[in-house]
Amino acid sequence: MEPILTVSHLQKVYGGKGSRTQALSDLSFTVEEGEFTGIMGASGSGKTTLLNCISTIDRPTGGSITVEGTDLTALRGKALSRFRRERLGFIFQDCNLLDTLTGFENMALSLTILGVSPRVIEGRVRETAGLLGLEGVLDKYPYQMSGGEQQRVAAARAILTRPALVLADEPTGALDSKAAGQLLRQLSALNREEGTTILMVTHDAFTASWCRRILFIKDGVLYRELRRGELDRKAFFAQILGVVSMLGGDSADVL
Amino acid sequence: MFCKLALRNVTRSLKDYAVYFLTLTFGVCIFYIFNSLESQWCMQMLAQSAHYIVDTILILMDVFSVFVSVVLACLVLYANTFLMKRRKRELATYFLLGLPTVKVSLLLVLETLVIGLLSLGAGLLLGVLLSHGLGLLTMSMFAFYPAGESFGLILSGKTIVKTVLYFGVIFLVVVLFTGLSVSRARLIDLIQGGRKNEELREPPLWQSVLTFLLGVALLLIAYTMLLVRGLLYIDPLFFLMLALGTLGTLLFFRSLSGFLLRLVKVRKGLYYKGLNMFVLRQFNSRIHTTYVSMTVICLLLLLAIGVTACCVGLNHTIGATTDASAPYDFTIQNYSGDVSPTDIPALLTENGFDAETELTATRSCDLYYNDAGITVPGQGSSDVVISLTDYNALMALQGRAGLSEESLPQLGTATLVTGFSGVGAYLVVDDATAATLSVRRQIFVGNFAGDPQTAETALTAAVQSQGFAQTGSYRLDTRLQIYLENMGTKILVLFMGLYLGLVFLVTAAAVLALQQLSQAADDQKRYAVLARLGAPEGMRDRAVFTQVFLSFFLPLALAAVHSVVGMTAANAVISVVGQVDSVQSSLVTAALLFVIYGAYFLATYFGARTVVRGNGLRTR
């Protein structure tokens, strides 16, 4: 089966002649439909650059990114923003809800921007809100919600448009552990039950342990890949910790 | 050290203060021009041509002046509140560093003082320059005015003192307000100031409807009062009417957004289309702070429309009546003709004015007392009588048809003399009857043969000479003099009206523009979110347009309704002088409004669009 996302030989260089920063050197991987993939790495490893390139916010200097057979590096202007609008969903660390709109309206907005028929909007919003346990906050404004609720509304907004790929950038970064757990449980349920493909960037091992598969990036290249397989979360967590401890530098670097 | 911090704060947050500074400077400038106009230019005009319209205008000006200062005070307070909101984070930092509340208050007071003094200076300078310019402009319009002294160009010390005093009070209020709001601020609110929104309570539907109905009812009461009572009686009831109208407008705008939101929400096809939902919510979330300014703007627009339209119309009326009251170049009347009749042309020649060569188409006539008690059946009677020959001669001079012997006696109303006659209707009788009556007044009319300006000067000199003063009580009216007098009134009315109207219009538009631009700065983040959600640029631009459009044209719409009612009432006042030419004045007003307001609207839209676009996709 054709993978949803194919990243091949991706390169990104910041700066000009004087000070070149190689954020991504030569990165290749694929994500299949229905996968819940995590990307981990220390600060400065290039994981945010990677996410920016996939989400078309930034343009790579070399290599290609293909989503559902469309080469993103070939898209320009209106086609690009159209692609972003229709095929990608975003969840950010700061959840980016509009403070003047209620929870319901925040979710509905992503559909009205797409031009979805007004008749089906209410039904789809309520359905998705049910999936994420958001029935109680539909009429609340963001400032009346907890951080976790806000982030779940953002998640609902991201999946409402039925994107090919949901990109999550440190979605639990601003949440306490309980709210983080709840959000991740629901993301994982979405992935299992609805088959939503999720690509999540995080530096937190606990958050990453909810993924089915984890890619570790170090100094702009793919360093390791872990698959959860049949392991339970606890064992997977331990495995992740093992790799994470090596990310900053392994024993060869000591001494 | 403390002063240094305050000064540095002012220079550092110059961008934030710019809005505040401009508002203050603009306010001081308007106030100075307005008041110096009243105290120098108008008073001189009043002394020159004592026309009764000027009195009315001065009363209205006084009312406006108070109104303007109240509006300016509100404006300054508003600008200050806006500024405080933008600096919440900064204040929080001071508190976190352990600065006591008193010191923070003092810091803000110092800053307000610096800005206040700067803007007062700048505003006065600008005001003096602009009023200078206005004075020059007026002088050029009055180049032929027969007064030796010059207009304008006077630095009105009284006005400067008045301005400083008024704004001193306004600053004091602002300082008190600032101090109070700082001492009541809670640190947690200040820290979260950037994030927290205004209170977003959605009032229940019945409350919106009730407020809306109450507002409309109050407006209707005020309208009725205005139409029934008219504009001229400035008594407590007049101010009650103003208060009712203002409150009605306030309630109208207060409930409008909630009403609108409810209305559109029901129509899902409209509500869930593009960014409509977002725009409406934005509008609604702001209404708690904007309804006051919307009311002020609506009232300012009302003043602008009303004043401009009325004065343009009135000016037109005055222009049309100029010729009717001056049928000949001059008229000399001898009021003492009943006791000491004289030969006016001969007297003129005696006193250095050659009536034979300098004048053409002259005519000496007598007006008689109605000794015989002549009445015309079905028309009535008059105390003033003129013979048929004299009447027909005067009518011939004016190029109008005379009367025939058969139709006499008859009551006439056509103008007999140039200028003031003191005669309304008069009786025209046959010459034989007239000969039996006693003379009441002598009149001598005619046109100048040569240049009217020099002839008029010579004639005036002759009539004012001893030869005339010793033989009776004379009155000289010339067409030129009447023309100039009317011209003076005309220019005064037009100038005052346009000036006041434009000032109000520009103020309203400037306030709106400032408000919208500062809101756009607040909106930047929201539009960035919309961009990230994939809303195309065209869609976002349309949303900005709708937001600016709503805030510009909702007040305009209500102001238009107000002014239709107001102008109907004003017409009743002006019809004492003449009817307002409503079609023409409405067109002129609409054109002015369209150009200025439209320009402000477009400038604001493009400005807001740039501000909103400024934070595009790339900044995170």
Side-chain angles (χ1 to χ4, degrees):
Chain A
M1 193 178 70
E2 176 95 1
I4 287 270
L5 170 72
T6 311
V7 174
S8 60
H9 307 293
L10 192 67
Q11 277 191 20
K12 177 70 191 176
V13 181
Y14 287 112
K17 278 175 189 164
S19 58
R20 284 163 61 88
T21 312
Q22 185 97 21
L24 294 174
S25 305
D26 182 41
L27 195 65
S28 302
F29 65 90
T30 59
V31 174
E32 304 290 335
E33 190 177 345
E35 272 195 310
F36 187 1
T37 312
I39 294 180
M40 290 195 78
S43 332
S45 60
K47 57 187 194 305
T48 302
T49 306
L50 170 65
L51 198 72
N52 280 349
C53 286
I54 298 174
S55 62
T56 72
I57 291 173
D58 210 344
R59 204 170 269 286
T61 15
S64 71
I65 303 169
T66 313
V67 175
E68 282 189 317
T70 312
D71 185 3
L72 298 191
T73 50
L75 290 177
R76 290 282 182 279
K78 278 194 175 160
L80 192 67
S81 61
R82 185 191 164 93
F83 176 84
R84 179 166 58 228
R85 187 162 69 231
E86 291 178 356
R87 302 312 304 151
L88 298 179
F90 298 96
I91 308 171
F92 298 98
Q93 180 175 350
D94 47 339
C95 54
N96 273 319
L97 295 184
L98 288 161
D99 51 358
T100 46
L101 269 57
T102 61
F104 181 89
E105 288 165 340
N106 261 297
M107 293 184 234
L109 194 66
S110 60
L111 291 178
T112 69
I113 287 175
L114 275 187
V116 172
S117 162
R119 276 175 292 122
V120 302
I121 285 181
E122 286 198 358
R124 266 175 76 173
V125 170
R126 285 190 196 286
E127 186 191 330
T128 311
L131 278 178
L132 286 165
L134 288 168
E135 294 91 340
V137 300
L138 287 181
D139 289 323
K140 282 188 183 169
Y141 289 97
Y143 76 93
Q144 294 169 317
M145 303 175 194
S146 67
E149 285 170 336
Q150 288 185 21
Q151 198 58 289
R152 276 186 282 145
V153 171
R157 184 176 68 182
I159 61 162
L160 255 174
T161 53
R162 299 189 182 145
L165 183 63
V166 171
L167 299 168
D169 185 6
E170 302 271 13
T172 58
L175 300 181
D176 60 59
S177 59
K178 190 163 167 265
Q182 201 177 2
L183 176 71
L184 288 166
R185 194 171 299 120
Q186 259 147 357
L187 282 182
S188 143
L190 273 180
N191 168 251
R192 264 185 285 111
E193 288 154 25
E194 304 287 312
T196 312
T197 315
I198 303 173
L199 185 67
M200 179 170 74
V201 166
T202 182
H203 68 274
D204 177 45
F206 172 77
T207 304
S209 68
W210 288 90
C211 300
R212 305 298 308 168
R213 167 189 173 212
I214 295 171
L215 303 168
F216 293 89
I217 297 180
K218 187 177 172 183
D219 301 330
V221 291
L222 196 62
Y223 172 72
R224 274 284 294 274
E225 182 177 340
L226 275 187
R227 280 180 188 276
R228 183 166 155 190
E230 297 307 313
L231 287 176
D232 64 354
R233 231 161 44 76
K234 217 170 176 178
F236 194 45
F237 180 60
Q239 229 180 13
I240 295 168
L241 278 184
V243 181
V244 167
S245 64
M246 310 280 268
L247 272 178
D250 50 37
S251 51
D253 294 327
V254 187
L255 295 174
Chain B
M1 174 62 210
F2 217 63
C3 290
K4 222 163 124 192
L5 183 59
L7 271 177
R8 196 179 299 165
N9 271 343
V10 172
T11 33
R12 196 172 45 78
S13 51
L14 213 59
K15 222 176 92 190
D16 279 345
Y17 266 125
V19 179
Y20 188 56
F21 181 74
L22 273 180
T23 314
L24 272 174
T25 308
F26 203 43
V28 172
C29 173
I30 289 169
F31 196 83
Y32 178 82
I33 295 177
F34 191 64
N35 281 280
S36 72
L37 182 84
E38 186 194 18
S39 66
Q40 28 176 296
W41 195 76
C42 265
M43 290 316 230
Q44 289 189 17
M45 267 308 299
L46 191 64
Q48 299 283 342
S49 66
H51 208 286
Y52 66 97
I53 301 173
V54 179
D55 287 326
T56 314
I57 285 175
L58 278 182
I59 294 176
L60 284 177
M61 285 251 305
D62 271 342
V63 176
F64 285 164
S65 190
V66 173
F67 187 74
V68 162
S69 55
V70 170
V71 166
L72 286 180
C74 290
L75 256 181
V76 172
L77 265 182
Y78 170 75
N80 189 59
T81 317
F82 164 73
L83 193 64
M84 282 297 104
K85 232 161 99 188
R86 291 194 83 76
R87 298 185 58 194
K88 271 184 175 170
R89 287 289 187 107
E90 190 189 324
L91 293 185
T93 314
Y94 293 139
F95 282 125
L96 280 176
L97 287 174
L99 219 56
T101 313
V102 182
K103 288 236 163 174
V104 174
S105 296
L106 196 68
L107 188 73
L108 288 175
V109 166
L110 272 177
E111 287 184 36
T112 314
L113 211 67
V114 170
I115 282 290
L117 284 178
L118 276 178
S119 54
L120 194 65
L124 278 178
L125 199 71
L126 201 67
V128 168
L129 284 178
L130 283 182
S131 68
H132 220 81
L134 278 174
L136 286 175
L137 185 80
T138 322
M139 262 179 77
S140 73
M141 290 168 100
F142 273 86
F144 45 85
Y145 200 89
E149 56 200 297
S150 60
F151 290 112
L153 313 193
I154 309 159
L155 200 75
S156 169
K158 195 190 122 211
T159 313
I160 292 182
V161 170
K162 192 175 173 187
T163 312
V164 171
L165 199 75
Y166 269 65
F167 277 83
V169 171
I170 292 177
F171 287 147
L172 206 68
V173 172
V174 169
V175 163
L176 282 177
F177 203 77
T178 311
L180 201 73
S181 68
V182 167
S183 64
R184 285 177 55 183
R186 294 206 342 256
L187 190 51
I188 182 72
D189 292 337
L190 291 179
I191 291 176
Q192 296 185 337
R195 271 190 280 164
K196 211 165 162 186
N197 212 332
E198 287 170 19
E199 211 182 334
L200 283 174
R201 248 179 331 108
E202 218 174 302
L205 186 58
W206 62 266
Q207 199 181 324
S208 278
V209 173
L210 209 69
T211 318
F212 190 78
L213 288 180
L214 190 65
V216 171
L218 284 180
L219 282 181
L220 286 180
I221 293 173
Y223 284 167
T224 319
M225 280 174 81
L226 183 65
L227 288 178
V228 171
R229 286 165 31 83
L231 253 183
L232 266 193
Y233 308 103
I234 308 226
D235 55 9
L237 265 183
F238 179 80
F239 289 103
L240 178 71
M241 181 192 75
L242 281 187
L244 283 181
T246 311
L247 192 65
T249 311
L250 199 73
L251 290 179
F252 179 82
F253 283 123
R254 180 75 170 79
S255 56
L256 183 66
S257 76
F259 211 61
L260 212 66
L261 187 68
R262 292 290 181 156
L263 215 68
V264 179
K265 236 179 169 176
V266 176
R267 303 197 44 185
K268 298 207 186 305
L270 195 61
Y271 195 58
Y272 291 129
K273 186 158 180 292
L275 295 178
N276 284 354
M277 189 166 64
F278 170 73
V279 170
L280 270 173
R281 280 295 187 180
Q282 284 291 103
F283 186 60
N284 192 46
S285 75
R286 295 252 168 78
I287 208 72
H288 300 281
T289 42
T290 53
Y291 74 103
V292 177
S293 51
M294 270 183 134
T295 306
V296 173
I297 285 156
C298 175
L299 295 182
L300 282 179
L301 279 176
L302 166 66
L303 280 181
I305 297 173
V307 171
T308 314
C310 286
C311 289
V312 169
L314 187 58
N315 177 54
H316 188 70
T317 309
I318 292 170
T321 54
T322 307
D323 289 332
S325 58
Y328 332 102
D329 277 355
F330 75 94
T331 298
I332 300 174
Q333 300 181 60
N334 181 9
Y335 284 124
S336 46
D338 48 349
V339 286
S340 57
T342 50
D343 182 357
I344 298 176
L347 206 58
L348 278 176
T349 313
E350 266 171 46
N351 287 285
F353 186 88
D354 189 355
E356 291 293 317
T357 57
E358 301 237 26
L359 302 176
T360 61
T362 57
R363 177 78 192 181
S364 278
C365 309
D366 290 325
L367 296 179
Y368 302 93
Y369 284 113
N370 191 357
D371 306 313
I374 305 163
T375 43
V376 185
Q379 291 184 15
S381 179
S382 172
D383 288 340
V384 184
V385 184
I386 188 169
S387 72
L388 179 68
T389 314
D390 282 347
Y391 178 78
N392 281 348
L394 289 180
M395 288 301 116
L397 275 183
Q398 293 185 28
R400 298 163 76 163
L403 290 170
S404 60
E405 192 111 22
E406 294 79 56
S407 59
L408 297 178
Q410 191 172 336
L411 213 57
T413 50
T415 313
L416 290 180
V417 298
T418 289
F420 179 74
S421 68
V423 175
Y426 47 85
L427 278 172
V428 185
V429 298
D430 57 81
D431 294 4
T433 316
T436 65
L437 303 170
S438 53
V439 175
R440 177 189 182 116
R441 192 192 301 176
Q442 288 180 296
I443 56 174
F444 178 60
V445 305
N447 292 328
F448 296 125
D451 173 40
Q453 184 74 59
T454 46
E456 197 218 2
T457 316
L459 186 66
T460 310
V463 174
Q464 283 170 353
S465 68
Q466 282 299 308
F468 270 86
Q470 283 159 6
T471 51
S473 159
Y474 296 91
R475 178 194 172 92
L476 168 69
D477 288 295
T478 65
R479 179 183 282 164
L480 200 65
Q481 177 196 335
I482 288 171
Y483 172 74
L484 287 178
E485 209 169 279
N486 278 345
M487 195 61 191
T489 319
K490 177 176 167 163
I491 288 178
L492 176 75
V493 169
L494 180 70
F495 182 75
M496 290 273 298
L498 284 184
Y499 169 71
L500 262 185
L502 288 185
V503 162
F504 283 132
L505 181 61
V506 169
T507 313
V511 171
L512 261 180
L514 283 174
Q515 207 181 19
Q516 285 304 305
L517 285 177
S518 61
Q519 286 186 357
D522 293 343
D523 278 351
Q524 208 180 41
K525 245 176 60 195
R526 301 192 178 103
Y527 276 93
V529 172
L530 288 182
R532 254 191 256 171
L533 286 179
E537 192 160 55
M539 196 186 251
R540 281 178 278 144
D541 288 350
R542 272 198 303 281
V544 175
F545 185 87
T546 317
Q547 267 186 284
V548 177
F549 183 86
L550 277 179
S551 55
F552 264 77
F553 286 90
L554 281 179
L556 181 65
L558 189 59
V561 176
H562 281 357
S563 57
V564 166
V565 179
M567 272 179 69
T568 315
N571 239 335
V573 176
I574 294 168
S575 64
V576 176
V577 194
Q579 197 67 31
V580 169
D581 182 350
S582 58
V583 175
Q584 200 197 342
S585 55
S586 302
L587 280 180
V588 170
T589 317
L592 272 174
L593 198 74
F594 185 76
V595 170
I596 293 179
Y597 207 61
Y600 262 101
F601 167 68
L602 283 183
T604 310
Y605 165 59
F606 287 120
R609 204 178 66 178
T610 312
V611 170
V612 161
R613 274 182 186 174
N615 208 357
L617 257 185
R618 285 174 190 280
T619 38
R620 281 214 45 202

